[in-house]
Amino acid sequence: EELVAILNKYLSKLSDQILETGGTIDKYIGDAIVSFFGAPIYYEDHAYRACAAAIQMKKIEKEFNKLHMRDKSIPQELKTRIGINTGNMVVGNMGTDKKMNYTMMGNDVNLAARLEGVNKVYHTWILVSESTWLAADSGENKGKIVARRMDKVRVVGINKPVQLYNIVGLRSEMSENELKSVDFFHQGLDRYLQR
């Protein structure tokens, strides 16, 4: 009962951020939030909104943990992994005549779910596909978000390797040293790939 109470507080704060950024909450699966951006209201910058929401959610999580570790209402910090993908998805009311759910489906939905789990391998918290990164880092939002280019992986059910990006934060909120560390990371990755 205590676990449910604390998770509901935690999920409420994260869910509020999704909604404030223009996202739609699809469902909760245990302690996971499934959401999407761009439907039913279409936003041209839906990929950017999803990435910005993820960054804010990690900040909310940090404050939540600080507060609840201080008052000892949680035995350890809560940590959420986030996977984001951008692509064609079917969105609408699905179900039966008696029970309907406004939801999404498609291969691109499945990839986002897979990316969430891939975070474990790279010890990251926000992983996005190349399609998301290219869409988020474009137009009037070009350069606002900082990401590290990671590996290419072949996830279950998808044959073509997916280029991964780790969202680090908003450029305006990062220190010069943090920004330099991303450059050093890319230099090291390039040398590694060149053997």
Side-chain angles (χ1 to χ4, degrees):
E1 288 172 356
E2 286 176 34
L3 176 63
V4 169
I6 203 76
L7 272 178
N8 282 344
K9 281 184 191 174
Y10 179 68
L11 293 173
S12 292
K13 290 188 173 297
L14 299 185
S15 298
D16 288 348
Q17 183 58 53
I18 291 168
L19 296 171
E20 284 171 28
T21 320
T24 300
I25 294 174
D26 180 344
K27 62 179 81 75
Y28 299 93
I29 305 172
D31 62 353
I33 305 169
V34 180
S35 64
F36 49 90
F37 290 74
I41 299 167
Y42 180 75
Y43 298 104
E44 192 66 40
D45 63 346
H46 55 84
Y48 174 81
R49 286 171 181 261
C51 292
I55 293 166
Q56 295 305 323
M57 288 165 71
K58 293 306 288 180
K59 285 189 207 165
I60 290 166
E61 175 187 86
K62 188 176 181 180
E63 288 304 310
F64 182 91
N65 284 329
K66 195 158 75 173
L67 174 70
H68 290 280
M69 288 297 286
R70 191 182 316 127
D71 70 11
K72 295 184 173 47
S73 56
I74 55 175
Q76 64 186 46
E77 292 185 345
L78 302 179
K79 299 284 187 179
T80 297
R81 293 182 303 270
I82 300 169
I84 305 173
N85 185 41
T86 301
N88 293 320
M89 300 165 196
V90 176
V91 180
N93 288 317
M94 296 175 206
T96 71
D97 292 341
K98 294 180 181 176
K99 173 79 171 130
M100 296 292 267
N101 184 23
Y102 185 71
T103 188
M104 60 182 168
M105 57 188 264
N107 287 335
D108 285 309
V109 176
N110 297 339
L111 177 55
R114 301 277 186 265
L115 293 179
E116 181 272 328
V118 173
N119 276 295
K120 290 181 200 173
V121 177
Y122 294 99
H123 302 280
T124 53
W125 295 108
I126 308 170
L127 277 182
V128 304
S129 64
E130 185 169 38
S131 61
T132 296
W133 174 245
L134 294 176
D137 188 45
S138 66
E140 65 183 30
N141 295 313
K142 180 82 175 155
K144 287 185 180 178
I145 293 177
V146 176
R148 295 187 306 164
R149 180 174 38 90
M150 303 293 282
D151 205 354
K152 284 186 182 179
V153 296
R154 194 176 295 151
V155 296
V156 176
I158 296 165
N159 292 328
K160 186 181 174 194
V162 177
Q163 176 67 61
L164 302 178
Y165 290 84
N166 168 219
I167 301 297
V168 180
L170 294 171
R171 185 174 300 278
S172 62
E173 296 175 352
M174 294 176 67
S175 71
E176 194 176 321
N177 280 342
E178 288 172 319
L179 293 171
K180 279 182 185 175
S181 74
V182 173
D183 289 338
F184 284 138
F185 181 87
H186 287 146
Q187 289 172 32
L189 180 62
D190 289 341
R191 289 182 183 184
Y192 165 74
L193 293 172
Q194 291 160 11
R195 298 184 177 191

